[in-house]
Amino acid sequence: MKDTSLITDGSSCTRSGGRPETPEARKVEEMEGAPRECGMSEKNASDAKREDLLEKILDSGNLQRAYHRVCAKKGSAGVDGITTDGLLNQLNEIGLEHLKEQIREGKYRPKPVLRVEIPKEGGKMRNLGIPRVLDRMVQQAIAQVLSEIYEPEFCEYSYGFRPNRGAHDALRQCLVNANDGYTWVMDMDLEQFFDTVNHSKLIQVLSEKVKDGRVISLVHKFLRAGVVVNGKYQKTEVGCPQGGNLSPILANILLNECDHELMGRGHRFVRYADDMVIFCGSRKAAERTLDSTVRYLEQILKLKVNREKTSISKLEGIGFLGYGFFYDGRTKEWDLRLHEKSEDKLKAKLKELTQRSNGWSVAYRQKKLNQLIRGWVGYFKLAKCKTSLRDIDQWLRRRIRMLYWKMWKRVRTRYRRLRKFGVEHQKAYEWANSRLGYWRVAHSWILSTTLDNRKLFELGWRWFSGLYARECVN
């Protein structure tokens, strides 16, 4: 176990008498009104939000939690090439007190984030920003304190990047809305949300509650740190790098404005990060809601709405968080199903795991497949998809039989294997010399009887249906 004594130095917090340093913070300071309670004592809440918020961020206990959180997540190295394994050495070289003093004096300068692209639907790419691990630790320390302040302020219908909330809670709320009669849905798509966040608007919203100008300034530095793309530095005038520890809480702080606007208008909605669906009782109501919501998002919050992907339809026509919806005539209620796109993605992943060309051993392939099955069923266990999973399992077993047939490449190997499984000499000889394609042989009686379901299970292969039957909540 690593020695983390450096970040448990026991230094005490000191109260700063500094004033807000940004114009936005000074403007907010002049506004009247006491801040709401945010998990700390009522006596100290106002002072904490005004002046000593930075000291709470730099508190040794808070930094300790941030350090362990960053190290637990692992992740790739940033522009400096240092991984989480090297973070402690880096802190030792810098000195924790020196790092704190740099941040207090406004001399801390975050490094640019490393820009990488990951594929998304439609052949497009998603920009992902990887900050260096030291910046990730500082961001995490800020995020923890901001979460303590903002969590009581966040809307109850927001579920993404929040403690003790998740996608399943969002989906259950969707069913509550639908079963209450709100079955016309506006599926809102924000175009490249994390890449188009307006810095000025975000800082303005943040300054309405965060009165310590040093914290506002520090957050602004992270937003404007820039990115490195193919070895070249680029400025960041807009955007909030997706992949940074600070980005999720900042996204929720900005979109919380929209949440409260919708609540004030009496709308039913569910939001998970930047994915949002608004429920209405009729198509006309949905059309009116669409126009007013788009205006608010674009004109007030300075975000971009993807009008091509934003749509109005009945609930069964949309997909949300990988799930689809259907009306169950037996129970007379709306329920969840597996969306077609999720099934297609699953099959594509299974093809990748069961292709012979990657050179994996059988044991490693089974390990990867079992990880996929556990994770997938754990997420999609709310869906009624027993029939779909049975079909997927049949298809997967055929893929595995084809994999074995490819592995038994030579005629004599195939003959020997078939004989070992009890096939008589003549049949084993005929099939070993067969010129039928792999996929056809995998569906033939010769492999269905020799590598039957029980035999595959004994060889260590597992299926979706078995785990789903144990974990399914329906």
Side-chain angles (χ1 to χ4, degrees), residues 397-412:
R397 284 190 285 267
R398 187 174 176 182
R399 292 278 307 175
I400 293 171
R401 292 183 181 112
M402 181 180 70
L403 178 64
Y404 275 108
W405 195 245
K406 286 182 177 180
M407 289 169 59
W408 300 343
K409 197 170 182 180
R410 298 182 178 183
V411 172
R412 62 186 180 186

Side-chain angles (χ1 to χ4, degrees), residues 91-135:
L91 287 170
N92 281 325
E93 290 176 5
I94 295 172
L96 188 62
E97 283 305 317
H98 178 66
L99 175 64
K100 289 182 179 182
E101 201 57 36
Q102 277 191 318
I103 295 174
R104 286 191 189 100
E105 295 176 359
K107 295 179 180 179
Y108 182 80
R109 293 291 182 268
K111 297 293 184 183
V113 302
L114 182 63
R115 169 73 56 82
V116 296
E117 294 183 335
I118 56 176
K120 55 185 292 189
E121 289 181 23
K124 296 182 179 179
M125 304 299 288
R126 184 191 304 277
N127 291 329
L128 187 68
I130 306 175
R132 62 172 181 161
V133 289
L134 180 62
D135 289 337

